[in-house]
Structures are given as C-alpha cells and as structure tokens.
Amino acid sequence: DRLPIPKKVKDFDLLQSKGSKPLQLSPPNPYSWKPSQQFGVSIGWIIDNHQSSIPPIMTKCVDFLADLDSLEVEGIFRRSVNTRVVKEIQTKIDEGENIEFERSDVHIAAVVLKTFLRELAEPVLTYELFDS
C-alpha cells in the first residue's frame, strides 16, 4: 500500500538529519485565533466564523484570477512578489478588512492564494486522509 523507499534514500535522509534537531510541530491553538482571521487557521474555523462554505480569501483570489486578462499573465503561480506586500495584505485580511486587488496585482493575488493554502492549520487533504 505504500511506496517503497530505496535504502540509498533512507541512508541519505539519516545522514542529513544527524546533528539536527527533530522538527517539533505544535498543534494549532484555536484559542489564540481571532474571529476574522483567515491565515494560519483551519478551514472549519473560517467557515464557522465567516458564515461561508468557501473561505472568503479563496473566493476573492480565485474570482480575481479567473478574469481572462489574469489568466493570460505569464508565470501566474511561478513568479514571486514582495513579501512585505503579501504580509500587509495578510494582516489586513486577518483584521477583517476588505481588500481589492488592482488590475496589475495578478502575481500578488496568486501568491496570497498560495500562502493561504500553505499556512492552513490543517492541510486541505486532512491528516486523517494521509493513511487511507
């Protein structure tokens, strides 16, 4: 049921991990989440606190990116943007502010969407599905 991992790969991983501290993942703490927060929380939290079946930031980004002009932009999910700008947008969203993307913000919207998905407290394909 599982992919066989070659011995060479296991040995390489063992060598790479020697001397490094094991990664400690702390479980998400819903008590520290704000009702308006969307980054770094679970999808369930967002749905419960925003009365929406789809996280609002996903709707905002996808609607913006679905425009034909946006879809024609080269490297839409590949190009990087200024991290300060992305952090500012994240902060505004988490504080409940409404954001609007400008026509030239195609890469920013794409990075915000990728960041949202990357920072979910629980992955879209939940931990329970990993073993099945």
Side-chain angles (χ1 to χ4, degrees):
D1 288 291
R2 295 183 183 233
L3 283 172
I5 300 173
K7 182 174 176 4
K8 285 175 107 177
V9 173
K10 288 181 181 179
D11 292 344
F12 179 79
D13 285 349
L14 185 63
L15 284 173
Q16 293 298 312
S17 65
K18 283 193 177 179
S20 65
K21 296 178 183 173
L23 180 64
Q24 297 292 325
L25 294 176
S26 57
N29 182 3
Y31 298 109
S32 66
W33 297 342
K34 298 180 280 188
S36 60
Q37 190 168 341
Q38 293 188 62
F39 286 88
V41 298
S42 69
I43 289 180
W45 171 268
I46 296 169
I47 290 170
D48 291 345
N49 286 279
H50 292 269
Q51 290 74 44
S52 172
S53 60
I54 298 174
I57 188 56
M58 284 189 72
T59 303
K60 170 104 37 200
C61 290
V62 170
D63 286 349
F64 177 79
L65 293 171
D67 181 77
L68 287 178
D69 292 337
S70 298
L71 291 175
E72 295 298 319
V73 173
E74 185 177 335
I76 188 170
F77 287 103
R78 197 171 30 90
R79 309 268 308 270
S80 62
V81 297
N82 187 325
T83 54
R84 182 183 51 77
V85 172
V86 174
K87 288 290 183 195
E88 287 172 4
I89 291 172
Q90 279 183 267
T91 301
K92 286 180 181 180
I93 292 166
D94 282 344
E95 290 174 354
E97 290 182 40
N98 186 31
I99 58 145
E100 293 297 328
F101 294 111
E102 299 294 321
R103 204 153 181 74
S104 61
D105 290 345
V106 175
H107 293 103
I108 293 173
V111 169
V112 167
L113 178 60
K114 289 190 315 185
T115 304
F116 168 76
L117 293 169
R118 185 180 308 117
E119 291 184 3
L120 283 171
E122 184 175 284
V124 174
L125 296 175
T126 62
Y127 295 118
E128 290 127 16
L129 295 174
F130 283 162
D131 290 331
S132 53

